[in-house]
Amino acid sequence: MNAIAPFASAAPVAAMPHNLEAEQALLGCLMFDNAAFERLSDRLRGSHFFEPFHQRLYSAIEDHIRQGLLAEPTILMERFRQDPAFQEFGGLRYLADLVDRAPPAANAPDYARVVYDLALRRDLIRIGGDIIKEAPEPETAALDQIERAEQSLYSLAETGKPSSGFISFAEALKGAVHIAGEAYQREGRLAGLATHLDDLDQKLGGLYPSDLLVLAGRPSMGKTALATNIAFNVARNYRYDITPEGRKSVSGGVVAFYSLEMSAEQLAMRILADASGVSSDRLRKGEIDASDYGRVRDAAIEIGGSPLFIDATGGLSISKLAARARRLKRTEHGLDLIIVDYLQLITTGENNGQKNRVQEISEITGGLKALAKELNVPIIALSQLSRQVESREDKRPQLSDLRESGSIEQDADVVMFVYRESYYLGRAEPKEGTEEHLKWQEDMDRLRHQAEVIIGKQRHGPIGIVKLSFDEDTTRFGNLAREVRYSGYE
C-alpha cells in the first residue's frame, strides 16, 4: 500500500523504527469494518503508534467501539475539528482516503503486530540509550544500574511500554469494572486471590493484586505457620487456562515464598505435616510408624507438583528480591502471590551503616509496595512486634506495637496480627488441684485449638477479628464452625 499524500511530501523522519503505511492500513481497516477491532491484541494502545495524530485517532476509534458507537470518518471528524494536525493532514479527506485504501479487514491483526513490534523496538532503543548514558557515571553503582535496566526491560515486556505515566480516568474505570466483573463471576464473590480460610477471605475480599499485606505477631504466635498455610492453599488450588497471552490463573496461583529465617527443607516439612496430618515435631524427630510414613509419602506425591517456589537466601536485599520475583513472573509459570518471612530480615543492600533502622524499614516497605504494584500481585510480608505487648494485661496486638511502625503502617494496605490466647494462658498455669487450676484447664481446653487474626488496618474494607482453628501438632490454621467464626473489632 502506498503512503497517503500528507506523508508523501513530508521530510524524512529520524531513524527511529516505524512504518507509517502499516499504521494507515490498520486505521483504515478499523474505520472500514469496526468488527476488526475484536481481532486485535488487548496490548495494543494508541501510544504504540509513531505518528502522534495516529495515536489520537486510534484512541478515538477504540473509545467509540468500546461504547458501542460507530467509528467512521464522518462521525470521528467531529472529535478532531479543533485538532491542528487533523487540518494539516487534510481533515475529513484524509480519513476518507484511509478507508478507501484500506486492505481487507482480515489483515488487521498483521498490521497491528507490526505497529506493536516497532513501538517496542523504539522503546528498546530509548532504554538502551539510557543505559549507555548512565553506565559511565561513577555516582551510581553498577549493580544498581543493572537492577534499574532490568526493571525497565521487565516493564516493557509486561505492558508494552517502559512506564505507565498518566492514564485517563476512563482507563482507570475500565480496570475497576473489570475487577468487579471478575469478582462477580468468581465462586465465592472474591475480588482477590482466595486464601481458603473462609472468614478471612470474607473480611478481606481475598488478596488483592498490587496490595501489600503485613502479617505481624510475637514469636511463637504462628505467623510463619499462617503464611505457610496460605501459600500452600493458594498453590494447591492452582488452575489455569491457556490464552494467546500465555497462562491465566482461574483459581489459586503460583507462589514465591522468600524464607529468610527458615531453610527450604524446614518450610517443606511444615507443609508436609499440614498435608499429611502427621505432627511436624514427630516428622523432624523420626518418631513415626509405617502408617504415618505411608501418609507422608502419599501426601508428598500429591502436593509435589504444586507451584510453590521457595527462596531461602539469608540476608536478601530488597533489590535482589525484586529482581528474582520479576524473573519468576517472566517464566512460563508466572507469579500470583509473594510471601516474605520476614520483613526485618530484608536488607537495603550496601551502605546500611549510613542509615538508621527506621529509614531502612521505610525503604524496604516502600520497595515491597512498589513491587506489588509493578508485578500486579499481592505481597504478604511478615513482621515482628515490639516487646511492649508483653507488658500489657490485654496482650492483643495493636498497630503501635509494630517495630519501626511508622512506615509499615503507612505503606501497608492491610495490617493483620496473629494472636493465640492459649499461648499466654499456658504460661500462667495455677497450682494443680486448686479451683483455679480446674478453671484454667477448662479455659485451655476451650482455647487450645483457637486463634485470632486481628485486622487492624484495611484500605478496602472493615477492620475486625477473625477466629480460626489451630492445630499445634501440624501448625495448621483452618475454619471454625460458622457460629463462632468472627466478631467485631473493639
Side-chain angles (χ1 to χ4, degrees), residues 64-80:
H64 276 244
I65 293 174
R66 289 194 185 280
Q67 294 176 45
L69 305 174
L70 183 64
E72 61 89 39
T74 306
I75 294 175
L76 292 170
M77 176 183 67
E78 297 301 321
R79 185 156 175 170
F80 294 103

Side-chain angles (χ1 to χ4, degrees), residues 278-291:
V278 178
S279 165
S280 58
D281 185 57
R282 289 169 53 208
L283 277 176
R284 184 172 56 85
K285 294 176 180 177
E287 297 174 352
I288 56 176
D289 55 25
S291 175

Side-chain angles (χ1 to χ4, degrees), residues 190-206:
L190 296 180
L193 194 62
T195 68
H196 295 276
L197 298 170
D198 294 343
D199 283 299
L200 187 60
D201 285 333
Q202 183 183 24
K203 207 77 168 177
L204 296 177

Side-chain angles (χ1 to χ4, degrees), residues 224-237:
T224 301
L226 180 55
T228 304
N229 289 172
I230 291 173
F232 179 49
N233 289 345
V234 171
R236 179 173 54 183
N237 288 279

